[in-house]
Amino acid sequence: MGTQEIMVRTFFIETHGCQMNEHDSEKVGSLLRHRGLIPVPAVDQADLYLLNTCSVREKAARKVYSRLGRLRRRKRNDPGFLIGVLGCVAQQEGAELAKKAPFVDFVVGTHRYHELPDVLDDLEAESPSRGQRRSTRVATSFLDEPTPVEMKVPDREGAFRAAVTVMEGCNKRCAFCIVPQTRGRERNRPSSLILDEVRRVAAAGAVEVQLLGQTVNSYRDPSRPGYGFAQLLADVAAVPGLKRIRFTSPHPRHFSDDVIAVIAGNSNICDQVHLPLQSGSNRILRRMRRQHDADWYRALIEKFRRCGRDIALSTDMIVGFPGESDADFEETILLVKFARYEQMFSFKYSPRPGTEAFPWDDDVPDLEKTQRLTMLQRLQREIQLEIHCDKYLGHVVEILVEGTARDGQRLFGRTKSNKIVNFFGVEEPGEFTQVRIVEAGPNSLLGEALVDCRLADAV
Ligand code: SF4
């Protein structure tokens, strides 16, 4: 039986999960392009398939094996086709994943993406015989360095929006969350490198920058004592050409007064702030180890309300955490009524292996969780509709155009407060335009272009 030479020329990356994963895939793609590989739009055209995985929710983690299972037959017939798994499931399961899906060629964890070119070199050098199975390579141990390994960021010439990593990992221990296990402890990039990257993307045409980190506002420059997130945000806001600055995902605890003052004082920092609450009950917040209580959180909202800008708040919420009673849930409802979020991401609790809460009695029946979630989401829809009618309907808003809407006819774009607006227009992605909001639903806004200057000029 002859050997089949492995020559990896093309790649396809499938990404699940958050913006951090999206950005990691961007960086991995850039690394592979620098090695001479060409990205292709579909897995069946690729010599190398990378699955960048998410394990935050059970459903996402389960999807990994069904995605891999579908490629098994191709792998059997074509040993030169390589399959690699990256991301949080790779990090968490490592060798276990290699056992469950032995046809996978490599599993690379969240600290080790820079090693991918070496992994590919080794695999190409091996060239297995047809039918021969080699063992899966597993590289998932955390690196012990205080800063993340710098990876070449993609060439983003012409992109109107760019993500820039500020920090990785998390030093908190929220009882429901797997992130500290999948991303490791906090590692901050030096501000000089962050600012160089921001200046580069702005010079290349980006008008919006999104600063990324698992607890982005806990940022501390490892090379400049005393330089924290407030300073970084102020320095990013001063970069010429940037019209919109966003950051995700913050922790309420790290919104110090100086961070709020920088947001208040710089109109190019978006007037939208994510304040993940998870529960409005102090008892549950303590069990969750969230490091804030409901009164402290209310006071934080008041600070944003008094800061001089109309800040749109958004949040994350979990219902049915172990031990959550009707009274605890009622506290959540009260806090939601107080906060009046413009957006909410809400979920039923599901135990995730590896978290502190995993062995706890998941004692809220599923039906009860569903009812609480339905009640919470109904309330949130009512609040959103009220806000959409009061704050947006009839008003003119500035939109950064992103592309064609789902109906294939309109365009869609985002307000600075992160509201998606659909409208008829002729603008290109990356252009700003003014639209009047003419229709408002709980989840959508419809706009009408004011005047299209280019058409007016042409007449
Ligand atoms: S702060 Fe809590 S929820 Fe956020 S990433 Fe860290 S452990 Fe997870």
Side-chain angles (χ1 to χ4, degrees):
M1 193 173 286
T3 59
Q4 173 171 343
E5 196 182 333
I6 293 182
M7 181 73 84
V8 186
R9 294 187 198 86
T10 55
F11 72 93
F12 176 80
I13 308 180
E14 178 175 331
T15 308
H16 299 175
C18 63
Q19 279 141 311
M20 267 60 95
N21 270 12
E22 294 281 350
H23 189 43
D24 283 344
S25 290
E26 246 195 305
K27 288 191 260 190
V28 166
S30 170
L31 201 68
L32 296 178
R33 279 199 301 273
H34 276 88
R35 193 184 178 271
L37 274 68
I38 300 163
V40 288
V43 60
D44 39 331
Q45 299 163 22
D47 302 323
L48 166 65
Y49 168 73
L50 291 173
L51 181 58
N52 192 357
T53 58
C54 169
S55 62
V56 166
R57 308 212 182 282
E58 200 181 350
K59 206 166 137 201
R62 267 204 317 260
K63 237 200 257 177
V64 171
Y65 290 99
S66 70
R67 294 297 295 134
L68 292 174
R70 279 198 236 162
L71 295 167
R72 191 180 191 151
R73 183 184 298 173
R74 172 164 173 204
K75 180 73 191 168
R76 205 178 294 137
N77 297 330
D78 176 9
F81 170 57
L82 298 183
I83 301 177
V85 183
L86 315 175
C88 294
V89 176
Q91 183 62 50
Q92 206 185 344
E93 298 204 6
E96 193 53 34
L97 192 150
K99 253 194 245 158
K100 287 190 209 159
F103 52 93
V104 165
D105 294 281
F106 56 90
V107 179
V108 174
T110 54
H111 281 207
R112 312 286 289 268
Y113 297 151
H114 58 283
E115 295 172 14
L116 275 170
D118 294 340
V119 171
L120 292 177
D121 286 346
D122 289 352
L123 288 168
E124 282 186 340
E126 268 183 7
S127 297
S129 304
R130 190 172 291 277
Q132 181 192 357
R133 194 172 72 71
R134 71 178 145 233
S135 57
T136 308
R137 264 143 229 274
V138 179
T140 51
S141 57
F142 283 143
L143 300 178
D144 203 14
E145 266 121 53
T147 58
V149 175
E150 287 294 319
M151 279 173 65
K152 190 152 179 55
V153 281
D155 179 6
R156 289 173 282 193
E157 194 66 44
F160 65 87
R161 185 167 49 198
V164 174
T165 301
V166 163
M167 52 85 70
E168 293 179 3
C170 177
N171 287 355
K172 311 246 180 293
R173 282 280 176 269
C174 298
F176 53 82
C177 180
I178 194 63
V179 166
Q181 273 77 271
T182 59
R183 294 276 170 173
R185 291 184 65 73
E186 265 184 27
R187 298 175 303 152
N188 295 280
R189 290 177 78 197
S191 59
S192 55
L193 296 180
I194 298 169
L195 290 166
D196 279 352
E197 191 180 332
V198 170
R199 286 188 202 104
R200 267 201 316 277
V201 296
V207 288
E208 179 173 311
V209 155
Q210 180 148 45
L211 306 176
L212 296 182
Q214 263 80 33
T215 52
V216 68
N217 54 343
S218 72
Y219 174 76
R220 282 162 300 150
D221 187 333
S223 53
R224 289 176 71 181
Y227 185 108
F229 189 65
Q231 185 68 55
L232 180 71
L233 205 50
D235 287 345
V236 170
V239 171
L242 287 186
K243 301 267 191 344
R244 290 186 177 187
I245 296 146
R246 300 188 190 278
F247 53 89
T248 196
S249 177
H251 190 287
R253 212 46 249 183
H254 296 287
F255 276 113
S256 55
D257 290 351
D258 51 354
V259 171
I260 296 173
V262 172
I263 295 170
N266 290 278
S267 61
N268 59 350
I269 299 174
C270 287
D271 47 10
Q272 182 253 330
V273 166
H274 191 60
L275 291 182
L277 173 64
Q278 313 299 1
S279 167
S281 152
N282 283 338
R283 206 175 65 83
I284 297 299
L285 286 170
R286 265 196 308 278
R287 280 172 71 79
M288 287 178 165
R289 302 198 192 290
R290 280 297 288 171
Q291 301 192 353
H292 58 77
D293 65 23
D295 285 343
W296 184 91
Y297 184 94
R298 276 192 176 84
L300 180 63
I301 290 179
E302 293 289 8
K303 284 185 191 177
F304 277 109
R305 286 183 180 155
R306 287 195 308 267
C307 83
R309 292 181 73 189
D310 183 2
I311 304 284
L313 298 178
S314 58
T315 199
D316 299 329
M317 214 67 92
I318 296 171
V319 298
F321 190 72
E324 186 189 74
S325 64
D326 286 344
D328 293 316
F329 179 65
E330 190 51 37
E331 297 289 326
T332 297
I333 292 289
L334 287 176
L335 222 160
V336 169
K337 287 180 178 167
F338 171 81
R340 295 184 64 76
Y341 301 107
E342 292 204 13
Q343 200 177 10
M344 178 190 288
F345 304 92
S346 49
F347 303 93
K348 291 192 284 188
Y349 172 74
S350 70
R352 305 299 302 123
T355 60
E356 185 187 350
F358 182 67
W360 298 357
D361 186 12
D362 184 16
D363 55 357
V364 181
D366 192 58
L367 182 63
E368 185 62 42
K369 286 181 187 169
T370 304
Q371 284 169 349
R372 288 180 192 173
L373 187 65
T374 305
M375 198 186 296
L376 181 65
Q377 291 181 339
R378 192 183 306 132
L379 170 64
Q380 179 57 25
R381 268 199 307 279
E382 284 166 18
I383 292 171
Q384 276 177 208
L385 182 60
E386 284 166 17
I387 294 175
H388 286 180
C389 291
D390 294 349
K391 178 172 166 180
Y392 295 97
L393 190 61
H395 291 260
V396 174
V397 290
E398 187 181 58
I399 304 291
L400 175 56
V401 179
E402 295 192 10
T404 305
R406 277 207 205 122
D407 66 6
Q409 320 231 323
R410 291 183 173 90
L411 299 179
F412 82 99
R414 246 170 246 265
T415 63
K416 207 182 249 186
S417 60
N418 210 25
K419 288 284 160 192
I420 291 181
V421 180
N422 292 341
F423 65 103
F424 286 109
V426 292
E427 290 79 2
E428 295 292 326
E431 289 185 355
F432 286 93
T433 190
Q434 306 269 322
V435 301
R436 186 182 305 284
I437 303 300
V438 292
E439 220 179 287
N443 297 314
S444 62
L445 293 171
L446 209 62
E448 189 177 79
L450 288 187
V451 184
D452 185 77
C453 304
R454 287 166 307 177
L455 289 181
D457 286 349
V459 173

